[in-house]
Amino acid sequence: MSENDRNNLSKSIPFQQRRAKSADEFALQILNDENLKKKTLLNGSHEIIQEYNDDYICAPLPRTNNRPSARTCWRSRPVFAPSPKCNFGPKGTLKKIQNNDQLIVIQDPSTQRLHWISTPNHILIIRKPGPTTLKEFQTLIGKLLRRHLNVYIESSDQEYLSVDNNSDLKKYAEQFIVFDQGDLPKIDLIICLGGDGTLLHASSIFQKSCPPILSFSMGSLGFLTPFDFKSHEKILNEVLAGNVAVLLRSRLSCTINKKTSDNTSTPTTPDISSRTNDTIKLDHEDNKTCLVLNEVVIDRGPNSYLSNLDLFINDRFITKVQGDGLIISTPTGSTAYAMAAGASMVHPNVPSMVICPICPHSLSFRPIVVPAGIELVVKVSEDTRLSAWLSVDGRNRLELNQEDSIKITTSVYPIPSICRFDQLGDWFESLADILHWNLRKPQSSFDIDEENQSNEKSDSQEDENKNSSLSETDDLSKQLAL
């Protein structure tokens, strides 16, 4: 099936009615086949079923040995959530596609654990720049090389490692490699030494499928980095053996459409792999998208006027944003800039996006949480006074002029973050220890209050008795003196 046929088929169906359906084996037994009209389109081993009565397209992945194969799927809006039961009462159910063998039941996030298909051999180490992580960086490299693993480092860290002065580097020189973009498919595991910014940098490097990330907290905050480097050897043994809990942190797919002189939009991609805050240089021939782990921010930048933005959801105009700007956040980013702007904190397993205004010029414009499968478009209004500015994950900035737009949706490539305990325990521990969530002196009970009151009464009574006895003693001494 050609790309044009896909596009034509996609346009023939209303956007807001396209969605993926879950399946239930029992429900398929009571499905009424007479009301189901389907059209099968073959694309290699992919089978896409169009159901006219329900107006949706589902493109399930094929199965191999009762496991879904790792082939590319035409489903572009995933939902990481438990597969719900589809039977409602004795007779109610959802209409579904028939080929149950090709359906994927989405796994409960609380049961997601890392499994290695084969032994991991290629390890990429990304560290926080500066001398604070240098000692641990050198220690980790030596231990990984002695395990006969191939160790990759960034080119900026090469100057801190001297082959002449390091016996491990000299002995295992062939296993010590400087990382470049051509090594992306080889990496089996990423180890981050630093804070949340180091994890964001790792996400920016892998703009498609990302290997599992093991994060050691060595930065300023460390909300996303749960592990302590003191126990790194034990942790490495557990991770390399597999069967550790993994949290899939969803990312946003962001595509910028710049209006050209002939009133057409040209897709372009911001370069977020750099650690600097320089202005983004555009390449109008680049038709890719960038993946964002925390948030996409459109604000007024250095301008003194309000931002004037139009917000669309699934091709429907929702509202006009007038204020300092707008934050489109992932659940992971809901504890970052969005939280500071007043949005609710959302657990990373919740399939959603957070829409949060920045200082809106309206008392009723509150942050909202929307489903992960929708498509957002933020457009700079035609009647705006000045330009707006875009930043992704706090990196770099791009100026947006009138009628420039940004298309945002959930990516199919999450960040598999290795958990210290489990998906829930790590998050709530970070809320308590890092953000001091709901930290308050506990209120005393009624029994303790009554006990304190009785103690106070007894103390006051004793003081009165002492005072009365002292006064009597003084009177007696005065009489004896006379």
Side-chain angles (χ1 to χ4, degrees):
M1 184 177 179
S2 65
E3 190 68 23
N4 293 332
D5 294 335
R6 282 188 181 180
N7 295 335
N8 295 333
L9 180 59
S10 176
K11 292 177 181 179
S12 65
I13 296 177
F15 183 87
Q16 56 266 42
Q17 291 181 342
R18 281 180 270 158
R19 58 197 182 277
K21 293 289 185 177
S22 60
D24 185 84
E25 187 173 351
F26 175 76
L28 290 173
Q29 298 176 2
I30 60 174
L31 182 66
N32 186 359
D33 295 336
E34 294 180 358
N35 294 330
L36 181 66
K37 298 177 182 177
K38 65 175 186 277
K39 178 181 180 182
T40 302
L41 302 174
L42 296 179
N43 179 19
S45 59
H46 291 222
E47 185 170 289
I48 304 167
I49 298 179
Q50 180 177 353
E51 194 175 36
Y52 291 105
N53 285 354
D54 201 35
D55 285 332
Y56 73 86
I57 291 179
C58 182
L61 286 171
R63 282 179 171 267
T64 304
N65 297 330
N66 294 327
R67 288 185 181 178
S69 66
R71 297 191 179 184
T72 304
C73 180
W74 188 30
R75 180 177 296 158
S76 60
R77 291 168 183 83
V79 178
F80 300 106
S83 181
K85 291 293 182 182
C86 302
N87 305 321
F88 316 117
K91 296 183 179 179
T93 186
L94 292 179
K95 190 176 294 184
K96 304 171 185 68
I97 62 177
Q98 281 187 317
N99 293 338
N100 194 35
D101 292 338
Q102 292 185 343
L103 292 179
I104 296 176
V105 178
I106 301 173
Q107 186 181 6
D108 188 335
S110 63
T111 64
Q112 290 169 348
R113 304 189 70 83
L114 177 63
H115 169 71
W116 298 111
I117 299 175
S118 60
T119 304
N121 296 320
H122 303 274
I123 315 296
L124 170 63
I125 303 178
I126 301 176
R127 74 178 191 97
K128 178 182 178 180
T132 56
T133 59
L134 188 57
K135 180 181 178 181
E136 292 81 1
F137 178 61
Q138 295 173 341
T139 300
L140 184 61
I141 288 177
K143 291 188 176 181
L144 291 176
L145 289 176
R146 286 192 289 272
R147 290 172 180 256
H148 302 284
L149 298 173
N150 296 318
V151 179
Y152 295 76
I153 65 168
E154 294 186 284
S155 57
S156 58
D157 292 328
Q158 188 177 10
E159 59 181 291
Y160 297 100
L161 299 171
S162 175
V163 178
D164 298 332
N165 300 330
N166 193 313
S167 59
D168 290 327
L169 294 182
K170 187 179 296 185
K171 182 178 180 180
Y172 304 102
E174 295 181 356
Q175 298 171 218
F176 183 69
I177 307 166
V178 177
F179 175 80
D180 59 34
Q181 293 297 317
D183 297 321
L184 287 176
K186 301 178 183 178
I187 304 301
D188 299 319
L189 175 68
I190 304 172
I191 299 178
C192 290
L193 304 176
D196 297 345
T198 309
L199 181 61
L200 293 175
H201 176 61
S203 171
S204 68
I205 295 175
F206 291 84
Q207 287 293 291
K208 286 190 177 180
S209 178
C210 181
I213 297 182
L214 174 62
S215 302
F216 290 98
S217 180
M218 302 180 65
S220 304
L221 190 64
F223 189 86
L224 307 178
T225 55
F227 291 100
D228 189 349
F229 191 79
K230 294 178 181 179
S231 308
H232 69 278
E233 199 152 358
K234 178 183 176 182
I235 295 168
L236 277 174
N237 291 334
E238 294 176 353
V239 171
L240 294 176
N243 198 30
V244 291
V246 174
L247 176 60
L248 298 182
R249 298 184 179 274
S250 62
R251 291 192 284 181
L252 299 178
S253 175
C254 175
T255 303
I256 304 168
N257 292 311
K258 299 288 292 182
K259 184 183 177 183
T260 57
S261 56
D262 56 352
N263 294 328
T264 60
S265 295
T266 302
T268 187
T269 304
D271 179 14
I272 64 171
S273 60
S274 173
R275 298 196 185 196
T276 65
N277 290 321
D278 298 335
T279 303
I280 298 171
K281 296 181 180 180
L282 295 180
D283 182 3
H284 292 291
E285 296 179 358
D286 193 352
N287 194 23
K288 299 178 182 178
T289 59
C290 73
L291 302 188
V292 183
L293 179 58
N294 262 2
E295 72 275 308
V296 178
V297 179
I298 307 100
D299 58 28
R300 61 187 178 92
N303 301 327
S304 58
Y305 294 104
L306 295 175
S307 293
N308 202 339
L309 309 171
D310 296 330
L311 176 63
F312 298 83
I313 295 181
N314 288 354
D315 296 333
R316 175 184 295 178
F317 175 75
I318 299 299
T319 189
K320 184 178 286 291
V321 181
Q322 297 182 92
D324 280 356
L326 188 66
I327 302 171
I328 310 298
S329 168
T330 64
T332 296
S334 67
T335 52
Y337 192 4
M339 180 190 70
S344 178
M345 295 182 290
V346 183
H347 189 275
N349 273 340
V350 179
S352 61
M353 290 187 284
V354 179
I355 301 176
C356 179
I358 307 173
C359 299
H361 202 253
S362 169
L363 293 176
S364 59
F365 194 178
R366 310 307 306 159
I368 59 174
V369 179
V370 295
I374 67 173
E375 183 178 82
L376 293 172
V377 174
V378 181
K379 182 179 179 181
V380 181
S381 299
E382 297 179 7
D383 53 354
T384 186
R385 293 186 176 184
L386 290 173
S387 59
W389 288 80
L390 168 75
S391 65
V392 287
D393 278 345
R395 302 175 188 275
N396 299 322
R397 293 181 70 79
L398 168 68
E399 186 174 12
L400 301 175
N401 299 313
Q402 291 180 348
E403 298 189 56
D404 290 348
S405 63
I406 306 99
K407 183 176 71 174
I408 304 167
T409 188
T410 308
S411 170
V412 296
Y413 299 108
I415 292 293
S417 181
I418 297 174
C419 301
R420 181 184 176 191
F421 300 113
D422 54 52
Q423 292 85 349
L424 280 175
D426 284 13
W427 193 69
F428 280 105
E429 186 175 86
S430 295
L431 286 183
D433 295 344
I434 306 299
L435 299 181
H436 305 296
W437 177 65
N438 198 26
L439 190 63
R440 179 191 183 275
K441 183 179 179 180
Q443 185 183 31
S444 58
S445 64
F446 286 118
D447 295 336
I448 296 177
D449 290 340
E450 292 175 357
E451 184 179 348
N452 291 336
Q453 291 176 3
S454 63
N455 291 335
E456 290 176 358
K457 288 181 180 180
S458 61
D459 292 341
S460 61
Q461 187 67 32
E462 290 178 2
D463 293 339
E464 291 177 1
N465 294 335
K466 288 180 180 180
N467 292 333
S468 61
S469 63
L470 289 174
S471 61
E472 292 176 357
T473 304
D474 291 341
D475 294 340
L476 181 60
S477 62
K478 288 179 181 178
Q479 291 178 1
L480 292 174
L482 294 174

